[in-house]
Amino acid sequence: MQAEILFKEALHLSPIDRVKLVELLMDSFTSKPVDEHEQAWATYAESVCDEVDAGATLHSLDSVMRELNQ
């Protein structure tokens, strides 16, 4: 019964938050400790996603390579 209530509440989450919830639930089935480096990369990746969502300026690989090669 409680699972059905949680499921109905989860349906109100954004698609990104639902994916995070699924990942958390799937991870709960394994007892593998999270490696510090893996956690650091995950935290960094999340911060990059937040910056992009906030409207960060993005550059194509071509434009970056041209800038580096000047």
Side-chain angles (χ1 to χ4, degrees), residues 15 17 21-22 25 27 31 33 37 43 68:
D17 286 336
L21 178 59
V22 168
L25 289 170
D27 288 346
S31 60
H37 291 54
T43 301
L68 289 172

Side-chain angles (χ1 to χ4, degrees), residues 31-52:
S31 60
K32 176 180 96 172
V34 177
D35 177 74
E36 283 183 49
H37 291 54
E38 183 178 328
Q39 182 60 49
W41 274 112
T43 301
Y44 175 72
E46 190 67 35
S47 71
V48 170
C49 289
D50 291 341
E51 288 178 27
V52 170

Side-chain angles (χ1 to χ4, degrees), residues 3-44:
E4 291 175 19
I5 294 169
L6 288 172
F7 175 74
K8 288 178 183 177
E9 289 295 318
L11 291 178
H12 295 288
L13 295 172
S14 71
I16 291 174
D17 286 336
R18 283 187 287 185
V19 168
K20 289 179 187 176
L21 178 59
V22 168
E23 288 175 348
L24 290 169
L25 289 170
M26 294 301 291
D27 288 346
S28 73
F29 287 103
T30 62
S31 60
K32 176 180 96 172
V34 177
D35 177 74
E36 283 183 49
H37 291 54
E38 183 178 328
Q39 182 60 49
W41 274 112
T43 301
Y44 175 72

